[in-house]
Amino acid sequence: MRRRSLRLRLLVTFGLGAFVLSSMFASLTYFGVQRLLIANQQQTDLRQSYVNAALVRSTLYTSPPQLANLLASIQKATASFVLVQTHHQWLARSNPAATKDVSAAIIKLVNEGHATEQTLNINGEIIFVVGVPIPAVETQVFEVFRLNSLEHTLQILLFVLGAGALITSFIGMSGGLWVTRRAVRPLEEVSRAAAQIADGALTTRLAVTRADREVQQLGESFNEMVSQLVQRLERDARFASDVSHELRSPLTTLATTASVLQQHRPDLSPAGQESLDLLLADLSIFQSLVEDLLEMARSDAGAAPLVMETVRAIELLRQSVRSAAGHQALSEPTLEIEPGVDDPFVKVDRRRFERVITNLIDNAHRYADGAVALRVSRVGEQLAINVDDAGPGITPDEREQVFERFFRGRAANDRGIARGTGLGLALVRDHVRAFGGTITVATSPEGGARFQIVLPIVEGDPE
Ligand code: ADP
C-alpha cells in the first residue's frame, strides 16, 4: 500500500474535521431556527385567523352581502386566503385553488365544531391552515397561510450558514497547514541532516532553537548523538591509523631484509628459495594492506588533505592513464572520447583521481587481462568515464558488494589471486564521493566489467 505523507494526512484531518464540525453546527442552527420561525409565524397567523373568523361571523349576522368585500380586504391585508363554507358549499368568493389545500380531515373536524389547525408541506412549500366553526349559521371559516416569506428567510439563512461552513473549513485547513509545518519541519530537518551525515558530512548539526521545548530537546539529543558517533569514529580511525603507522617501520625493515636476501638467492637451497618467494609475495600483500589501511584511516579521520582543483578532465585522464600504466609497467589502454566531448572541467583532487584510475586499471589487469579502453562520454551536465575490460565481469549480486571494505569477489577466488586486500574499490568509492561523483559497475560492450565514474562538469577557467 502506498504510504501517504504525514503532512497530507494532517492537512486532510484538519480540513475534514473543520468541515464536519462546521456542517454539524450549521445544520443544527438551520433546523433550530426553522422550527422557531415557523412556530412564531403560526402563533401570529392563528391569532389573526380567529380575529378574521369573528369578523366573518359578525358580517354574516349583520350584512351578508358585505362578506365578499370583507374577504377581499382580509386577503389583501394578510396575504392569506379566507375560505368560507356554508352548508357544505364553498362560497363563490373562495379561491378554488386554495380550497384544495384544505384537507378532508380538517373539514370534518371543523364540521364537528372543533377549531383546528394544520401545517402541510406541499412540494417544499409550507402551508398553514386554520379552521374555525361558526355553528350558529352552519358555516366554517378556513384561512390558508403560505409561509413564503419564511422560506425566503430560511434560504438566506441556509446560504449564510453554508458559506460559513466553507469558510470555517478553509480556516481549519489553513490552521492545519500551519500546525503541520510546525510539527513536520523539525522531522524534515532531522531527516535531511541524517542524510547529509550518512553522505559523509560529519560536521552537520541541527540548529537548536528555543521556540518549542520538544523540538529543542530533539535537536539537542540528535546533535549529542552525532557528536558521540563522530568521536567514536575518529577514535577508531585514529587507532587504525596508529596501528598501520606503527606497522610501517618494521615492515620496511622486513622488506629491506627480504630484498637483501633476494640478492643472495642463488646461494640458498631450493627450499630456502621457495620460502623466500613466499615471504616476498606475502610481504608485498602486507605492505599494500598497510598502505591502504593507512589511507582509509586518514580519510575516515579527515586527516588526509583533500585538495580540490578545477582541471581539464581529458588532460588529467590522459596523464593518469599514462602514470597508471607506467606504474605497473602495463601497456596503456586506449582512450576513446565520444565526439562532442571537448575537454570539460571537473573539480577533483589530482592525487586521489590518479589513484582511482590506477586502481581500476590495475584491477582490470589483475582480473581481466587488462583494460580494453577508457571511454569518455557526456551525460547531461555530467561526465561519464568508463573503464571497460573483456574479462569475466561482475555478477549483478556482487555489483554493490565489490565496493565494500574487505570484500573479495568471485573473480579473485576463481583466479586464485592471492594478492589483493579487498580495500581497493572501497577507497576508490570514497575518493569519487569526495569529488561529488558516483561510481557503479555494469557490463562492458565486450561482455566484461565496466566501472563507470560520473563526475559533475563545472564551469569556468582554472586560472
Ligand atoms: P581486491 O582487488 O584487493 O580484491 P578490490 O576492492 O579492488 O579488492 O576489488 C574487490 C573485488 O572486485 C575483487 O576481489 C574482484 O572480485 C572484483 N573485481 C574488481 N575489479 C574487477 C574486474 N575488472 N573484473 C572482475 N572482477 C573485478
Side-chain angles (χ1 to χ4, degrees), residues 359-360 363-364 366-368 389 392-394 398 402 404 407-412 419-426 449 451:
N359 208 307
L360 295 179
N363 271 356
R366 218 182 306 165
Y367 302 111
D389 65 46
I394 295 179
E398 281 191 349
V402 289
E404 283 168 15
F407 179 82
R408 304 215 62 222
R410 220 162 281 149
R419 203 174 155 270
T421 57
L423 285 177
L425 288 178
F451 283 89

Side-chain angles (χ1 to χ4, degrees), residues 29-70:
T29 310
Y30 177 78
F31 289 114
V33 170
Q34 187 194 42
R35 275 180 80 96
L36 210 71
L37 280 179
I38 291 176
N40 273 346
Q41 187 65 45
Q42 283 174 337
Q43 284 288 323
T44 315
D45 292 347
L46 194 64
R47 267 197 302 271
Q48 184 67 48
S49 51
Y50 280 122
V51 172
N52 293 342
L55 282 173
V56 169
R57 189 180 55 184
S58 65
T59 309
L60 281 175
Y61 280 149
T62 51
S63 56
Q66 290 298 315
L67 186 64
N69 287 343
L70 176 72

